[in-house]
C-alpha cells in the first residue's frame, strides 16, 4: 500500500516538507479539514506560529488529529512541537497534549536570537545535523516515556514517545533528509 504523509496546511513552513518527501518518493497530502486525514499513514505539524494554527484548528479537525495520533506517527516541528506538548508556558496556551512534555515558547529569545548550530545526532552517518532554530521553543521537562534523540547544550531538541516525535528546530530547511527518513521508518514499524 502507498503511504501518504499528511502535512497540516493551515499556516507555516509546509512546502519544504513536500519537496523532501517527494524526493524520497513519498506522496503527501495537504491537511486542512478533518476528512483530509482519511487514508494518511503519518502526519506532520509544521513550524510556523502555533497561536495562528490554533485559531484555525476547528474542534472537528482537533478530534481527527487526536484520534489519528493514537495509532499513527505524528511529527511536530517547532510550532508543531508546541502543539504536541502537554504543557505550554511563556505564556501558557492550549495544545493537543500528545507528548508528555513541558515546553517554553520562544525559549531561546526573540526573532533576532534565532541561530543555526550543529547538533550531535546518533541516527546520522556523520553524527551531526544542522539545527536551524527560529524563535524556537525550549523543552523544559519530559516525562519518563519520552526518549531524547538529540540535545543541544544539554537541552533536548529532538524527542520521541513511541510513534510520536518532535524537533524544536527546522530539519526541512537543512540540506539533509536524515530526520525525514527516520520519521518515515516509523510508518513501517
Ligand atoms: N515561536 C513560534 C510559536 O510560538 C514557533 C516558531 C517556529 O515554528 N519557527 O509558535
Amino acid at each position: 500500500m502507498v503511504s501518504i504523509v499528511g502535512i497540516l496546511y493551515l499556516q507555516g513552513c509546509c512546502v519544504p516538507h513536500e519537496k523532501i518527501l517527494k524526493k524520497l518518493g513519498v506522496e503527501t497530502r495537504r491537511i486542512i479539514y478533518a476528512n483530509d486525514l482519511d487514508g494518511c499513514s503519518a502526519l506532520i505539524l509544521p513550524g510556523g506560529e502555533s497561536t495562528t494554527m490554533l485559531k484555525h484548528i476547528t474542534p472537528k479537525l482537533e478530534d481527527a488529529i487526536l484520534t489519528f495520533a493514537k495509532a499513527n506517527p505524528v511529527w511536530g516541528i517547532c510550532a508543531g512541537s508546541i502543539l504536541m506538548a502537554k504543557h505550554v508556558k511563556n505564556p501558557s496556551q492550549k495544545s493537543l497534549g500528545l507528548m508528555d512534555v513541558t515546553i517554553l515558547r520562544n525559549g531561546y529569545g526573540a526573532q533576532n536570537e534565532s541561530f543555526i548550530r550543529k547538533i550531535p545526532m546518533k541516527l546520522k552517518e556523520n553524527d551531526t545535523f544542522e539545527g536551524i532554530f527560529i524563535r524556537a521553543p525550549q523543552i523544559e521537562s519530559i516525562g519518563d516515556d519520552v526518549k531524547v534523540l538529540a540535545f543541544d547544550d544539554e537541552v533536548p531538541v529532538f524527542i520521541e514517545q513511541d510513534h510520536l516525535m518532535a524537533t524544536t528546530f527546522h530539519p526541512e530547511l537543512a540540506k539533509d533528509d536524515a530526520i525525514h527518513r527516520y520519521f518515515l521508518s516509523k510508518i513501517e514499524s
Side-chain angles (χ1 to χ4, degrees):
M1 210 182 83
V2 183
S3 295
I4 303 172
V5 175
I7 302 170
L8 188 68
Y9 229 89
L10 303 172
Q11 185 272 338
C13 191
C14 300
V15 174
H17 289 292
E18 290 178 321
K19 288 189 176 157
I20 292 174
L21 292 168
K22 192 174 174 198
K23 248 191 191 159
L24 292 171
V26 177
E27 196 178 324
T28 58
R29 187 187 296 160
R30 299 179 173 189
I31 307 297
I32 297 169
Y33 303 105
N35 59 4
D36 293 334
L37 275 171
D38 296 348
C40 287
S41 308
L43 173 66
I44 288 177
L45 307 177
E49 191 54 51
S50 56
T51 48
T52 309
M53 289 184 212
L54 282 168
K55 279 192 189 132
H56 294 284
I57 298 177
T58 59
K60 208 169 160 197
L61 179 56
E62 179 176 344
D63 278 355
I65 295 172
L66 295 179
T67 306
F68 184 84
K70 284 186 187 149
N72 299 285
V74 182
W75 172 19
I77 293 112
C78 202
S81 71
I82 297 170
L83 297 181
M84 299 284 284
K86 201 171 257 175
H87 305 288
V88 181
K89 289 172 149 179
N90 193 35
S92 93
Q93 70 185 30
K94 184 183 149 57
S95 66
L96 300 171
L98 294 169
M99 295 180 81
D100 192 5
V101 169
T102 298
I103 203 160
L104 285 178
R105 290 186 64 212
N106 303 311
Y108 297 90
Q111 180 87 332
N112 61 0
E113 284 154 304
S114 298
F115 60 95
I116 299 178
R117 200 149 55 210
K118 286 220 180 312
I119 45 182
M121 198 169 296
K122 283 278 175 293
L123 59 103
K124 282 260 311 148
E125 302 80 26
N126 60 8
D127 278 342
T128 60
F129 195 96
E130 187 180 44
I132 302 177
F133 293 81
I134 306 169
R135 267 187 320 117
Q138 198 169 54
I139 293 172
E140 187 184 73
S141 63
I142 54 173
D144 292 342
D145 294 341
V146 179
K147 194 173 140 198
V148 180
L149 295 167
F151 288 95
D152 173 63
D153 209 8
E154 292 176 26
V155 176
V157 292
F158 177 15
I159 54 173
E160 71 179 352
Q161 185 174 354
D162 301 319
H163 54 289
L164 306 173
M165 65 182 233
T167 51
T168 54
F169 54 99
H170 284 258
E172 78 283 9
L173 298 177
K175 287 179 193 66
D176 191 327
D177 58 14
I179 298 181
H180 284 79
R181 282 189 280 115
Y182 183 70
F183 181 57
L184 294 175
S185 76
K186 288 181 176 291
I187 298 175
E188 283 112 51
S189 58

